[in-house]
Amino acid sequence: MNFKPLLSMAALTAALGCALPAHAETKAEHDARMGWFREARFGMFIHWGLYAVPAGEWNGKKYGGGVEWIQSMAKIPTAEYSPLLQQFNPVKYDAEAWVSLAKEAGMKYIVITSKHHDGFCLWDSAQTDWDVGSTPYRKDLLKPLAAACAKHGVRLCFYHSIMDWHHPEWGDKAPWRGNAATAKPDMDKFTAYLKAELDELLAYQPGILWFDGEWEGAWTHERGVDLYDYLRKKSPSLIINNRVDKGRNGMAGFNSDSKFKGDYCTPEQEIPASGLPGIDWESCMTMNDTWGYSAHDQAWKSTEMLVRNLIDIASKGGNYLLNVGPTGEGLIPAPSVERLQGIAAWMKVNGAAIHGTSASPFPTAPEWGRCTTRTLPDGNTRLYLQVFKWPAGKLVLPGLTNEPIKATLLANDASLPIDQDGGHLSIHLPSQAADPIATVVVLDVKGAAKVQ
Ligand code: H79
């Protein structure tokens, strides 16, 4: 896992621009629009498309990394990639089961690939036949997901690739891309197509449009600004990630220049070392080494690592967008299900230490674990102390000088004695951790948290 430091504090403050509200929106309106996203802290990413059929293998050769890129990695000409349409028949797809799995794990939103770079659409679009309507399955895959999400109170959101290897007018071409035949691509035509697709997707009332594939030269800053404004005008409450524009700055996911559009920043496969203070952000990460389904990628992260990543991200004030790659049949792979169920077990007891919390007041993570906070209605502060390494005797809160109110174990409400000595608070712990992944101690203190 990559925890490399990204930027100095000064640069981070400058990076505020990434989260600046759209024009014609007050700070209060912006905060209201971002409210559900900030409280959510945890979402499910779903990468699903034609690439689930080859599942990381083409002509007997196995590909590693993100195998949703297999058309690019194996340089598969359209004529050879297109027959996947006839092989995509996810008869085991059960939207209700997917949403239940996410909901049980404490995920408050789902971001599914309405379209990835290969251009294939998961709904029956009037704009193209390169979609699920042309497969043996025929039925819209997004509609049942929208219904299940509405039923369970989970927000449905769409990942929509700007780069489109299949569309004839997309400006950047390669011989293996289906679009190479157009001598002079027309990005105005392409953008009209993109907007028409997005108009169709807005009918599903997505919470977020999560763009990607914005880095090729054909997509410009001006087009990003135009698309952002177009969508926000149509759907004022919509949240749009910063990959709509050109300011994402690689895998770090954010840029210090305030001219770039986007409501939040998008670190990919990494967690910013000190968070991104003052900015809304979400780290998207995989459970193994691929986004789309691979039959051979078994590099699964442990449940412990996934839960601790969630805690680490929440302690830095960000969201965790954790990916699953369903199979061509429509099943979330068993190792992903097992991990989500493990996360669910932890969240059932400890979800309050994640949902609706704010970042840790400690300048660096305590050596025993992490911390999130919540401001209580009376103005006092609740600290959730997620203990990874269970100390013998006392849990020391370095530099915390507030007057304590009470300390308990979140798992069983057991009351824990508090000491005020040596310029900080410390809490007497039972001899055994309640949970080997992370045991949560709840500490209420007077006023706002003060750390010296
Ligand atoms: O959808 C998943 C991946 O398929 C897609 N994003 C996640 C969410 C993705 N992952 N890696 N890539 C796309 C490859 C892009 C790599 C790069 Fe670049 C494009 C390297 C250089 C150009 C983007 C822009 C990253 C650095 C600069």
Side-chain angles (χ1 to χ4, degrees):
M1 201 60 35
N2 195 343
F3 294 98
K4 67 176 180 263
L6 294 171
L7 269 190
S8 68
M9 279 305 287
L12 284 176
T13 311
L16 260 168
C18 167
L20 279 181
H23 61 89
E25 188 180 49
T26 65
K27 183 178 182 304
E29 286 167 341
H30 181 74
D31 288 344
R33 180 162 62 89
M34 297 304 292
W36 74 262
F37 178 83
R38 291 173 182 167
E39 295 209 340
R41 288 289 173 255
F42 195 23
M44 175 184 273
F45 217 170
I46 304 179
H47 275 72
W48 201 29
L50 295 179
Y51 42 78
V53 174
E57 184 170 341
W58 196 262
N59 284 342
K61 183 167 181 242
K62 289 189 170 74
Y63 292 83
V67 299
E68 68 286 352
W69 275 70
I70 197 158
Q71 194 189 357
S72 166
M73 292 191 286
K75 297 197 170 19
I76 306 169
T78 315
E80 286 172 43
Y81 194 77
S82 299
L84 290 175
L85 267 189
Q86 278 71 54
Q87 296 168 50
F88 186 74
N89 191 16
V91 291
K92 296 188 179 160
Y93 174 47
D94 180 350
E96 170 70 25
W98 290 12
V99 176
S100 297
L101 192 63
K103 168 119 181 170
E104 287 293 308
M107 294 161 146
K108 301 289 190 184
Y109 60 110
I110 290 177
V111 183
I112 187 168
T113 49
S114 46
K115 183 186 85 169
H116 205 265
H117 308 329
D118 66 4
F120 175 74
C121 296
L122 259 57
W123 79 105
D124 191 2
S125 173
Q127 312 307 320
T128 181
D129 287 332
W130 186 234
D131 67 7
V132 70
S134 305
T135 68
Y137 190 76
R138 293 210 337 270
K139 298 183 286 276
D140 181 343
L141 296 168
L142 302 182
K143 210 181 266 177
L145 199 61
C149 281
K151 179 177 154 195
H152 289 284
V154 173
R155 302 243 180 189
L156 182 64
C157 309
F158 297 128
Y159 168 110
H160 204 74
S161 175
I162 292 174
M163 174 170 76
D164 190 323
W165 297 333
H166 188 80
H167 195 278
E169 305 296 355
W170 173 255
D172 294 86
K173 301 183 176 303
W176 53 267
R177 293 182 180 179
N179 60 18
T182 323
K184 269 204 180 155
D186 183 336
M187 280 301 289
D188 287 341
K189 262 195 202 164
F190 175 79
T191 304
Y193 168 78
L194 182 62
K195 285 180 175 172
E197 284 185 323
L198 292 165
D199 287 345
E200 293 182 4
L201 289 174
L202 286 181
Y204 298 84
Q205 298 184 292
I208 299 169
L209 285 179
W210 208 109
F211 290 104
D212 197 11
E214 81 296 354
W215 59 81
E216 290 201 339
W219 192 251
T220 60
H221 167 61
E222 290 68 30
R223 289 191 189 278
V225 172
D226 171 70
L227 184 59
Y228 180 93
D229 290 341
Y230 174 84
L231 293 165
R232 285 287 317 288
K233 206 171 281 176
K234 293 210 161 198
S235 175
S237 63
L238 187 65
I239 294 173
I240 301 172
N241 75 343
N242 69 336
R243 298 187 186 187
V244 70
D245 199 347
K246 306 288 280 191
R248 92 184 232 198
N249 193 17
M251 296 312 200
F254 75 101
N255 193 298
S256 56
D257 189 334
S258 65
K259 78 175 179 187
F260 294 111
K261 290 283 189 177
D263 296 316
Y264 70 87
C265 301
T266 50
E268 178 166 326
Q269 299 286 39
E270 59 185 51
I271 301 173
S274 316
L276 302 173
I279 299 183
D280 293 303
W281 59 277
E282 171 200 67
S283 280
C284 58
M285 301 178 102
T286 50
M287 287 194 192
N288 49 0
D289 290 334
T290 182
W291 301 92
Y293 174 67
S294 164
H296 58 80
D297 181 339
Q298 300 302 329
W300 298 99
K301 298 171 182 84
S302 66
T303 302
E304 176 183 274
M305 178 178 268
L306 300 174
V307 170
R308 289 185 176 182
N309 280 350
L310 171 61
I311 294 168
D312 185 42
I313 289 168
S315 79
K316 294 168 178 173
N319 284 10
Y320 189 31
L321 187 62
L322 181 60
N323 184 71
V324 298
T327 66
E329 283 190 301
L331 294 175
I332 294 179
S336 297
V337 173
E338 277 164 31
R339 280 156 184 76
L340 288 167
Q341 288 170 343
I343 295 169
W346 189 87
M347 287 294 276
K348 199 167 180 198
V349 175
N350 302 293
I354 302 293
H355 294 137
T357 61
S358 300
S360 168
F362 298 103
T364 54
E367 58 92 26
W368 42 255
R370 299 290 183 275
C371 171
T372 56
T373 62
R374 182 189 306 283
T375 303
L376 299 173
D378 57 9
N380 292 328
T381 302
R382 179 160 295 167
L383 291 94
Y384 297 96
L385 312 167
Q386 297 95 353
V387 185
F388 297 169
K389 271 190 278 174
W390 197 248
K394 290 204 283 191
L395 187 71
V396 176
L397 305 180
L400 188 76
T401 57
N402 294 71
E403 185 184 331
I405 300 170
K406 63 168 179 171
T408 55
L409 273 183
L410 185 56
N412 60 14
D413 251 355
S415 179
L416 304 173
I418 307 170
D419 282 349
Q420 272 182 293
D421 51 23
H424 51 237
L425 300 182
S426 51
I427 300 168
H428 290 259
L429 297 178
S431 57
Q432 292 286 312
D435 190 309
I437 293 179
T439 301
V440 179
V441 174
V442 183
L443 172 67
D444 287 359
V445 299
K446 292 270 189 197
K450 286 190 289 284
V451 177
Q452 278 187 349

